[in-house]
Structures are given as structure tokens and as C-alpha cells.
């Protein structure tokens, strides 16, 4: 697997995420008696998304350091249950490290971590405006606006009909995707001189059937290259692309968070009939949990303090977000387009291109005005 990101921009633990989703994660056989303990805490694994990616990152860390890992799944998208399970897990055993998303527990974290000063807490997929206090808590906030900017450029370079689209949902982090994507589409028009139109739309719901139906609306509106930011519902979009002629006719999609092409291909190779249209996933826009978590742990273990506590933004320059360049991407993306993408990544990483963020707006109304220009 080749990587770019600033020519080293992409990453995305392909095999690990796929294995997590399949329930075949590697063990922590290197753990020794008396070794450190890491708690991975989430609603549940098997979501084909950020929970599985975090679990894979936890496994990688424990394999590398020879630590024990405990998985706690609280089993519901319910804040009260999450908080109770969080306290129960911490009271049961002493853990040296905690890793997990801050979903549903963010409101109580600052008070809680002070009660466990010997545990290092690492939370990922945090909101950019989240504030953590204390000298034992780290937040990983992803600059998805930057990778979304690159996604729009790729779509604009690859469209055959001159109209691209994005499907999102109306929530802060997803609106950060949208903000970066809209900036990229406008950059393609105004700075790259591409003759391209763009369409932004929200999903009413995130079921497989709803994604499928909304994709057909996008195609009927004249788009060919559409990015549905739908994580595990991606196959609804893949099927719609297939029915419109697929990647050979220019109707392709991009995955979200991890290498969804490789994962769904593994299902198809095993005989699954559910992965219809996976061949139309050109690439995936990733959030790179493992390298960010490892960098924090390396800083803590070495004692060098290279990474400060608190919530931190991980973008292109920090290898926090990426666009995956697997063999399928190389096969289907012309070299001249890849060179444009490399150049855009370089400019974002160096600061020459400053990508706007949803969190730059003081009010939702300001974002609406930007979105609807």
C-alpha cells in the first residue's frame, strides 16, 4: 500500500479495520504479566466505522508495546448508559491508558479524569471546539474540512459531465466536512479554472435505503461523481452508482473514514451478495486514529512532552486526515490528476491554502449563508 500525505497524506489501517469489522482482530499475545493496561471504550464494535477503527488502533498500540487491552462496549447510543458504563469500567480495574471516542461522555470528562490522575485519557473524533482540562487528557480532533477540500478537487478533476455532489447530514462535524468540500469545489472553479458545477445535499435519514434513494436524486440532478458521507451505509450509494453505469461510465463514489473498497471487496471475495457495487468506490477519505494515538502515547512514554495535553487538531500536516491511495485508486485515476492532488495536499499542509472550517463561523446562520452562496 503506497501512501501520500503531503506525499505522505494518506493512511488508514486497511487490514486492521477490515478484520475488526469481521471480528477477526489480532490478539495481544505480547502482553506480559505486570504489563500496562489499556481500556478501549465505545458503544459497540462492528460499525464498519470509527469504533472499529479505534479498536484496531488500540490493538496496534498494545501489540507494539506488549500491553494488555480490555474492550468495553456499552451497547447503546444512550448518554446515561455510556456514562454509567464509563464509571463502572474505571472503578473495576486500574488502567494506564484509556482510548475511545468522547461521544456521550464529553460532558463529564473534565471532572472524571481528575479522579484518575494515573490514567492517561485519549479521546478521538472530538469536536474542534471541545475544551479538555487536566494534565492527563488528550483530545484528537480531525480536520475533516481539509480532507474534504481534497475530495472535492478529485471529484472536479474526474467528472465527465461537469457536475459533482456531496451528501452529508446537518450536524457540527458533518458540516465541517461540508464546509471544506464547498471550499474545494469553489477552488476548482475559481483557482483551477475547471468548468464544473456542484450540488450539496443533506440526508433526511441515514438508512441504507435512504442513501440509495438520495443518490438517485443526485444522479437525476445531473451529477456523476458523488461523495456520500455515510460510513456504514455506503453500499446503498454503491448500488445506485452501479445501476447508473458504475465507474466505467464515470459514476463512482468515495468511501469515508477507512478503506471501504478493500473491506467490501473482502466480503465479496468470501461470497457475500451484499457488497453490490463496491467496485465503484474509487478511494476513501480517512481519519487516521492509529498514528495520532501512537504519537500521543510515544510522547507520554518517553516523557519528552512533545505533545501537550488538551484537545488538539490533527489535519494534513499532522497525518490526522487523508485520502487513501490504494492500488484501485492508482489504476483508475490518471497520473495528471494524481499530480494535482499531490500539489493541493502540499499547499494545505504548508499553509498556502487555508481551508475554512464550520467552527470558524460564529453562528449557524453564518454557515448557512456560506453554504448557500
Amino acid at each position: 500500500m503506497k501512501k501520500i500525505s503531503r506525499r505522505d497524506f494518506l493512511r488508514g489501517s486497511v487490514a486492521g479495520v477490515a478484520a475488526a469489522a469481521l471480528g477477526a482482530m489480532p490478539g495481544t499475545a505480547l502482553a506480559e504479566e505486570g504489563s500496562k493496561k489499556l481500556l478501549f471504550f465505545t458503544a459497540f464494535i462492528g460499525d464498519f466505522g470509527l469504533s472499529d477503527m479505534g479498536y484496531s488502533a488500540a490493538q496496534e498500540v498494545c501489540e507494539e508495546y506488549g500491553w494488555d487491552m480490555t474492550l468495553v462496549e456499552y451497547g447503546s447510543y444512550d448518554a446515561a448508559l455510556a456514562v454509567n458504563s464509563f464509571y463502572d469500567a474505571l472503578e473495576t480495574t486500574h488502567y494506564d491508558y484509556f482510548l475511545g471516542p468522547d461521544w456521550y461522555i464529553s460532558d463529564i470528562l473534565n471532572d472524571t479524569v481528575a479522579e484518575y490522575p494515573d490514567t492517561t485519557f485519549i479521546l478521538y473524533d472530538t469536536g474542534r471546539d471541545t475544551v479538555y482540562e487536566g494534565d492527563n487528557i488528550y483530545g484528537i480532533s480531525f480536520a475533516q474540512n481539509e480532507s474534504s477540500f481534497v475530495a472535492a478537487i478529485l471529484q472536479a478533476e474526474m467528472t465527465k459531465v461537469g457536475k459533482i455532489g456531496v451528501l452529508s447530514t446537518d450536524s457540527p462535524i458533518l458540516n465541517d466536512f461540508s464546509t471544506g468540500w464547498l471550499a474545494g469545489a469553489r477552488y476548482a472553479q475559481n483557482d483551477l479554472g475547471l468548468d464544473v458545477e456542484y450540488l450539496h445535499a443533506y440526508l433526511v435519514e441515514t438508512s441504507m435505503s435512504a442513501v440509495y434513494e438520495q443518490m438517485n436524486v443526485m444522479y437525476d440532478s445531473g451529477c456523476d461523481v458523488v461523495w456520500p458521507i455515510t460510513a456504514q451505509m455506503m453500499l446503498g450509494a454503491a448500488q445506485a452508482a452501479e445501476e447508473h453505469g458504475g465507474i466505467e461510465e464515470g459514476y463512482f463514489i468515495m468511501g469515508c473514514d477507512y478503506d471501504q473498497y478493500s473491506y467490501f471487496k473482502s466480503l465479496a471475495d468470501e461470497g457475500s451478495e451484499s457488497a453490490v457495487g463496491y467496485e465503484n468506490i474509487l478511494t476513501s477519505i480517512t481519519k487516521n486514529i492509529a498514528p495520532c494515538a501512537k504519537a500521543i502515547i510515544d510522547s507520554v512514554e518517553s516523557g519528552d512532552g512533545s505533545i501537550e495535553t488538551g484537545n488538539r487538531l490533527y489535519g494534513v500536516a499532522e497525518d490526522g486526515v487523508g485520502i487513501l491511495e490504494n492500488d484501485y485508486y492508482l489504476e483508475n485515476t490518471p497520473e495528471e490528476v494524481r499530480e494535482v492532488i499531490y500539489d493541493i495536499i502540499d499547499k494545505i499542509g504548508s499553509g498556502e491554502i487555508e481551508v475554512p472550517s464550520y467552527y470558524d463561523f460564529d453562528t449557524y446562520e453564518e454557515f448557512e449563508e456560506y453554504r448557500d452562496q
Side-chain angles (χ1 to χ4, degrees):
M1 180 84 46
K2 183 182 177 182
K3 296 184 236 176
I4 49 178
S5 169
R6 285 205 359 233
R7 298 244 184 189
D8 201 19
F9 175 51
L10 57 135
R11 204 184 293 259
S13 182
V14 180
V17 171
L22 290 167
M25 291 304 303
T28 53
L30 297 179
E32 299 177 357
E33 186 176 352
S35 67
K36 291 188 176 182
K37 295 180 174 63
L38 182 148
L39 168 64
F40 180 71
F41 179 86
T42 192
F44 54 84
I45 58 170
D47 68 341
F48 313 125
L50 289 170
S51 288
D52 285 352
M53 292 168 63
Y55 184 42
S56 175
Q59 291 278 2
E60 289 183 34
V61 167
C62 290
E63 289 284 358
E64 179 173 328
Y65 279 97
W67 294 347
D68 280 316
M69 192 202 76
T70 297
L71 167 66
V72 171
E73 303 171 78
Y74 52 89
S76 173
Y77 294 129
D78 178 85
L81 181 59
V83 169
N84 289 335
S85 297
F86 180 64
Y87 284 131
D88 288 345
L90 292 175
E91 291 170 0
T92 301
T93 303
H94 166 72
Y95 294 101
D96 300 280
Y97 285 90
F98 172 100
L99 176 65
D102 75 344
W103 315 327
Y104 310 108
I105 59 173
S106 57
D107 290 342
I108 52 94
L109 281 171
N110 283 331
D111 291 335
T112 302
V113 300
E115 300 175 20
Y116 298 90
D118 296 327
T119 300
T120 297
F121 292 81
I122 303 172
L123 289 305
Y124 66 81
D125 203 35
T126 61
R128 188 178 298 198
D129 53 357
T130 300
V131 177
Y132 289 136
E133 301 170 353
D135 57 5
N136 63 329
I137 184 169
Y138 298 81
I140 300 171
S141 180
F142 295 110
Q144 53 267 324
N145 59 313
E146 294 183 352
S147 51
S148 298
F149 185 101
V150 178
I153 299 296
L154 176 60
Q155 290 175 263
E157 289 283 350
M158 293 288 285
T159 179
K160 293 184 178 181
V161 301
K163 189 172 184 179
I164 62 175
V166 68
L167 276 177
S168 185
T169 54
D170 194 3
S171 63
I173 288 180
L174 272 294
N175 279 330
D176 201 32
F177 278 95
S178 294
T179 302
W181 188 88
L182 288 164
R186 292 164 186 168
Y187 186 95
Q189 287 180 328
N190 301 326
D191 294 77
L192 298 181
L194 299 179
D195 184 13
V196 60
E197 299 178 51
Y198 57 89
L199 177 62
H200 174 279
Y202 285 132
L203 286 159
V204 177
E205 61 176 285
T206 53
S207 65
M208 199 79 75
S209 60
V211 171
Y212 169 80
E213 294 296 339
Q214 188 67 48
M215 284 293 296
N216 283 309
V217 171
M218 300 292 278
Y219 290 141
D220 291 343
S221 298
C223 300
D224 60 351
V225 183
V226 181
W227 182 27
I229 310 174
T230 58
Q232 64 266 42
M233 305 303 172
M234 190 62 63
L235 283 179
Q239 182 173 338
E242 182 74 11
E243 292 173 0
H244 280 76
I247 194 167
E248 292 184 358
E249 299 296 325
Y251 289 88
F252 67 82
I253 59 176
M254 294 183 294
C256 189
D257 296 339
Y258 64 99
D259 187 353
Q260 292 190 304
Y261 168 82
S262 294
Y263 171 66
F264 290 124
K265 182 179 185 299
S266 71
L267 292 186
D269 289 345
E270 291 182 355
S272 172
E273 297 180 0
S274 65
V276 175
Y278 78 89
E279 301 96 333
N280 305 313
I281 304 174
L282 176 68
T283 183
S284 290
I285 308 305
T286 63
K287 291 184 175 181
N288 304 328
I289 299 170
C292 298
K294 283 182 177 179
I296 292 170
I297 290 172
D298 287 345
S299 174
V300 174
E301 288 294 303
S302 67
D304 65 10
S306 57
I307 298 178
E308 297 180 355
T309 57
N311 195 35
R312 183 184 183 199
L313 184 65
Y314 290 78
V316 169
E318 297 80 16
D319 198 20
V321 294
I323 178 172
L324 197 71
E325 188 182 56
N326 57 17
D327 291 341
Y328 196 67
Y329 173 83
L330 294 173
E331 177 185 338
N332 289 282
T333 307
E335 182 178 356
E336 59 270 22
V337 173
R338 301 201 305 270
E339 289 300 322
V340 171
I341 299 303
Y342 287 137
D343 184 58
I344 294 296
I345 291 167
D346 282 337
K347 289 178 177 176
I348 294 174
S350 68
E352 182 178 343
I353 293 177
E354 294 185 13
V355 181
S357 167
Y358 173 77
Y359 298 97
D360 295 335
F361 300 105
D362 292 328
T363 65
Y364 181 81
E365 289 71 27
E366 289 182 12
F367 164 71
E368 281 186 309
E369 183 179 352
Y370 170 85
R371 181 193 66 200
D372 298 337
Q373 289 175 11

